[in-house]
Amino acid sequence: MHRSSVLMAWNVFKFCTVLRGLGSVMILMVLGIVGVTYYAVVINNYGPALFSAGGFGSLTAFAILALFHFLLMMLLWSYFSVVFTDPGSVPPKWRPVVDEEAGEVAPLADSDYINPMLDLQHSTVISDPGDPRIRFCRKCNQFKPPRCHHCSVCGRCVLKMDHHCVWVVNCVGALNYKFFLLFLFYTFLETTLVTISLLPHFIAFFNDGEIPGTPGMLATTFLTFVLNLAFMLSVLGFLIMHISLVMSNTTTIEAYEKKTTPKWRYDLGRRRNFEQVFGFDKKYWLVPTYSEEDFRKIPALQGLEYPTKPDLDAQL
């Protein structure tokens, strides 16, 4: 039994090490897919059609190219915002604030609870004896704020951690979750546009007529259509899942914790839940950034303070 647990721990560590090493490889892969798509849509097909088709054909090509470049710009802006934005780190010397009258903190899974008196590794007092649910990360040697989790890949605690995404080579957490959702949204729109615009060229492969272009150009168009169709369908599934999570003010990790919690105290209603991620200012909802007013008025965007339904009920 001991041997199997040691072997499992070693395998997990090896897996996390591999994920850390992917880094620039995954970014280059994303840029490579974007490059192939750009070559097939702009260079091979609709760029030449813009000047040679004439009339309605040129107008169609212009509309497709304009929309393609806009969505590509938003996709890349959202993507690199996720990649380079820190998802949220626990401030140094952070300590939990406990309601002495209620004696409560956010309900979490039993696996996150700790011994209320001692850290067995360091033999030091680590939490309020009156509240055994205050959490402490033994790996980071620090307290864990509500909705915070330790990422084994990043090797640190992440505020409101949703998951570690190998495609963005970063954790998705409090400060970049909106950017990740926009990345999924614009990726879905872009891949849908590419799939629809290349569909006539894809169908032409199976016709008996002669298709203009070199074999390399035709192969690139065929590959681009298949890749974008696959990403469109897979991203649609992720997008639907995350929309449902946003509407219930839940992360991917918390979706499993809710199974052990009778009532989810962070569910404030769909509109308030949406604003906890995207902010109040509608002008910023579809761009990967926040207004200064949103950051000032919505503490949840900074990943440490979260309004709860019991708090709202008390105000009413």
Side-chain angles (χ1 to χ4, degrees), residues 17-309:
T17 303
V18 170
L19 289 181
R20 293 190 195 104
L22 285 176
S24 58
V25 175
M26 297 304 297
I27 296 177
L28 291 175
M29 184 179 296
V30 171
L31 294 179
I33 295 173
V34 170
V36 170
T37 300
Y38 192 91
Y39 181 80
V41 174
V42 179
I43 307 299
N44 277 1
N45 295 290
Y46 288 96
L50 182 64
F51 302 101
S52 62
F56 181 75
S58 294
L59 183 62
T60 301
F62 175 80
I64 290 175
L65 289 173
L67 184 57
F68 174 84
H69 282 91
F70 171 76
L71 293 177
L72 180 61
M73 178 189 69
M74 298 304 297
L75 185 158
L76 292 176
W77 184 10
S78 301
Y79 177 74
F80 285 108
S81 294
V82 185
V83 172
F84 293 115
T85 300
D86 189 311
S89 302
V90 182
K93 299 181 180 180
W94 180 89
R95 292 293 181 271
V97 177
V98 180
D99 187 340
E100 294 182 357
E101 295 183 1
E104 294 182 351
V105 293
L108 291 161
D110 293 339
S111 60
D112 283 328
Y113 299 161
I114 61 170
N115 185 302
M117 294 301 295
L118 296 176
D119 176 351
L120 300 179
Q121 181 178 356
H122 298 92
S123 299
T124 57
V125 177
I126 57 175
S127 65
D128 184 350
D131 194 337
R133 294 179 297 179
I134 296 176
R135 304 180 305 152
F136 188 88
C137 179
R138 294 187 174 91
K139 295 180 180 179
C140 296
N141 194 29
Q142 65 183 9
F143 287 99
K144 294 170 67 175
R147 314 185 76 177
C148 175
H149 295 273
H150 184 88
C151 175
S152 300
V153 181
C154 295
R156 62 189 178 96
C157 286
V158 176
L159 299 177
K160 197 185 176 184
M161 178 179 174
D162 186 89
H163 68 289
H164 184 93
C165 180
V166 294
W167 287 100
V168 302
V169 201
N170 197 4
C171 264
V172 176
L175 300 182
N176 64 355
Y177 185 46
K178 172 189 173 182
F179 309 157
F180 176 75
L181 295 177
L182 290 177
F183 168 57
L184 292 181
F185 176 67
Y186 287 117
T187 298
F188 172 71
L189 294 182
E190 178 82 335
T191 53
T192 300
L193 173 65
V194 173
T195 301
I196 294 174
S197 63
L198 293 184
L199 180 60
H201 303 275
F202 179 78
I203 295 176
F205 281 105
F206 303 97
N207 293 334
D208 296 332
E210 184 177 350
I211 306 174
T214 65
M217 295 171 61
L218 300 179
T220 302
T221 300
F222 185 92
L223 175 63
T224 300
F225 175 85
V226 173
L227 280 176
N228 279 268
L229 176 62
F231 277 108
M232 180 191 72
L233 296 176
S234 60
V235 169
L236 176 61
F238 280 110
L239 192 58
I240 292 173
M241 181 191 76
H242 279 283
I243 289 174
S244 66
L245 292 176
V246 170
M247 292 299 99
S248 61
N249 202 352
T250 311
T251 65
T252 301
I253 295 176
E254 290 169 347
Y256 293 95
E257 292 178 352
K258 286 171 63 176
K259 295 179 180 179
T260 62
T261 305
K263 293 183 179 180
W264 187 242
R265 58 187 286 147
Y266 296 112
D267 189 351
L268 310 177
R270 292 185 177 181
R271 180 177 178 179
R272 292 288 304 272
N273 293 340
F274 180 86
E275 291 171 346
Q276 293 292 296
V277 177
F278 286 86
F280 295 136
D281 197 332
K282 297 179 181 180
K283 297 191 300 293
Y284 288 83
W285 281 357
L286 295 179
V287 294
T289 187
Y290 291 103
S291 67
E292 293 183 4
E293 185 177 4
D294 278 341
F295 256 118
R296 186 172 63 254
K297 290 185 176 180
I298 308 178
L301 296 179
Q302 302 177 30
L304 285 172
E305 299 178 27
Y306 302 96
T308 62
K309 195 174 188 306

